[in-house]
């Protein structure tokens, strides 16, 4: 298994420089095709304007979104033209509420989606909606890059946040090409249940699975000494000098729209290293 189709989404070229740099690095490392979707977002919500104004405002915002998409595409093409890799770029427009269906259709055939962290200075609601769409609508694994990460170094030590869930195992399977290249995979378990299926050997079966793939793994069992599990994971990442976190992505349905669960959201808010997630 390898990543041969890398997908990323640009809405604002001013915020996308490091994201594109990382996507290019991943595509080159994997000898993959890089596909870039330049997205213009119409942020209007039908029904919030006085009678007769909706159509006018809708047309104006659609035109603005189309211009933003074309501007982003022009920037992407100029940025990627000198690169010695296979790439493609196209533009599209979607209303905020329809981002899920658009990205779900475009990203579902990608092996890996690379996106910037959706929280921080200059970020809008679009960024979180795009992450949610990639995770929940396309079912593709997503690598989320913190703003301060400007280049992708060697992933020597990787923390796997393991809680025995289907989502966590799905993330591990999707991350196998990256895990194989690591020097060590740290299977991190926080307060394992005393009556669970792994009560006598927390992380043992996962460690065995990874070993059969030629991956060196060790198990770290940590106490939940902080209010949030994500805080414990991030502290462990710092203390162990890890290069990446692999974890399942969790959410819940609200009005038929995928919403990041609290633990997933907080992990992305506080992430100091790239986070590889899958649902």
């Amino acid at each position: 298994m390898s990543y041969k189709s890398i997908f990323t989404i640009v809405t604002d070229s001013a915020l996308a420089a490091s994201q594109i740099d990382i996507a290019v690095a991943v595509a080159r490392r994997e000898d993959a095709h890089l596909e870039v979707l330049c997205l213009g977002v119409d942020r209007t919500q039908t029904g919030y304007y006085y009678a007769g104004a909706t159509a006018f405002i809708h047309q104006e915002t659609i035109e603005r979104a189309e211009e933003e998409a074309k501007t982003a595409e022009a920037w992407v093409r100029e940025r990627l033209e000198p690169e010695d890799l296979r790439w493609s770029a196209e533009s599209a427009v979607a209303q905020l509420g329809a981002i899920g269906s658009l990205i779900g259709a475009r990203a579902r055939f990608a092996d890996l989606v690379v996106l910037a962290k959706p929280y921080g200075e200059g970020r809008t609601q679009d960024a979180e909606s795009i992450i949610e769409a990639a995770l929940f609508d396309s079912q593709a694994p997503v690598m989320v890059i913190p703003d301060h990460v400007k280049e992708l170094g060697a992933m020597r030590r990787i923390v796997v946040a393991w809680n025995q869930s289907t989502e966590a195992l799905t993330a591990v399977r999707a991350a196998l090409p990256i895990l194989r290249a690591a020097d060590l995979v740290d299977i991190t378990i926080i307060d394992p249940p005393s009556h669970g299926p792994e009560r006598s050997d927390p992380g043992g079966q996962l460690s065995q699975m990874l070993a059969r793939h030629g991956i060196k793994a060790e198990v770290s069992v940590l106490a939940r000494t902080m209010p949030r599990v994500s805080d414990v994971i991030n502290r462990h990442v710092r203390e162990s000098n890890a290069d990446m976190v692999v974890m399942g992505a969790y959410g819940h349905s609200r009005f038929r729209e995928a919403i990041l669960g609290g633990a997933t959201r907080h992990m992305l808010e506080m992430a100091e290293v790239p986070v590889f997630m899958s649902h």
Side-chain angles (χ1 to χ4, degrees), residues 10-26:
V10 172
T11 57
D12 185 348
S13 57
L15 299 172
S18 60
Q19 175 185 326
I20 289 291
D21 290 345
I22 298 296
V24 166
V26 173

Side-chain angles (χ1 to χ4, degrees), residues 211-227:
R212 288 172 178 170
H213 282 276
I215 297 168
K216 182 181 178 181
E218 65 179 25
V219 177
S220 298
V221 178
L222 308 177
R224 184 172 176 172
T225 55
M226 304 176 77

